[in-house]
């Protein structure tokens, strides 16, 4: 009688306007979003493209997803996750864009790695 509709996963792209790399990622994610909406076998997701810098809490969450090994892909020249957060708080420009985050599933892809971005999208639970 009352069906619960599952909420869409939110995929955020921290975008750097004017960057060809970031623009390429925007286009890839928009195409993937359209394809998911048109397919009954793929999970639709909400695409959030922002040029704003993340908050310290968001960076902390992202660093939790990538751990020490991935910290330098999020924050330039970071040795560990704690070092990355410290650097970010000192200067937000250390945050590397483009960065794709799947908040629901705890996945992050830095840069324009198309295969990794598509893998992140394909890993979303199906409808």
């Amino acid at each position: 009688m009352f069906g619960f509709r599952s909420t869409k996963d939110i995929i955020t792209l921290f975008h750097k306007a004017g960057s060809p790399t970031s623009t390429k990622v925007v286009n890839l994610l928009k195409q993937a979003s359209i394809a998911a909406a048109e397919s009954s076998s793929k999970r639709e997701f909400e695409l959030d493209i922002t040029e704003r810098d993340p908050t310290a809490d968001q960076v902390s969450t992202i660093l939790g997803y990538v751990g020490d090994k991935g910290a330098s892909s999020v924050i330039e020249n970071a040795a560990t996750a704690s070092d990355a957060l410290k650097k970010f708080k000192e200067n937000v420009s250390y945050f590397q864009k483009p960065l794709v985050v799947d908040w629901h599933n705890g996945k992050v892809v830095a840069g324009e790695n198309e295969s990794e971005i598509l893998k992140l999208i394909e890993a979303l639970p199906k409808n």
Side-chain angles (χ1 to χ4, degrees), residues 66-124:
V66 301
D68 287 340
K69 286 170 58 174
S72 64
S73 67
V74 177
I75 303 295
E76 188 178 339
N77 297 322
T80 64
S82 59
D83 180 46
L85 190 56
K86 180 182 172 199
K87 284 179 181 280
F88 175 78
K89 288 178 178 179
E90 290 170 2
N91 188 342
V92 297
S93 69
Y94 287 124
F95 184 80
Q96 303 207 69
K97 296 178 184 179
L99 190 87
V100 178
V101 182
D102 173 357
W103 300 103
H104 184 75
N105 297 297
K107 306 276 186 197
V108 176
V109 178
E112 66 174 321
N113 189 330
E114 185 174 327
S115 65
E116 288 299 314
I117 293 169
L118 292 175
K119 199 184 300 181
L120 179 143
I121 300 299
E122 289 298 319
L124 294 174

Side-chain angles (χ1 to χ4, degrees), residues 9-15 25 29 45-50 52 54 58 62 98-103 107 109 120:
D9 290 347
I10 298 172
I11 306 294
T12 298
L13 168 63
F14 290 98
H15 172 56
V25 175
L29 286 170
F45 59 92
E46 183 178 327
L47 180 57
D48 173 33
I49 299 170
T50 182
R52 292 184 317 269
Q58 287 175 315
I62 292 166
L99 190 87
V100 178
V101 182
D102 173 357
W103 300 103
K107 306 276 186 197
V109 178
L120 179 143

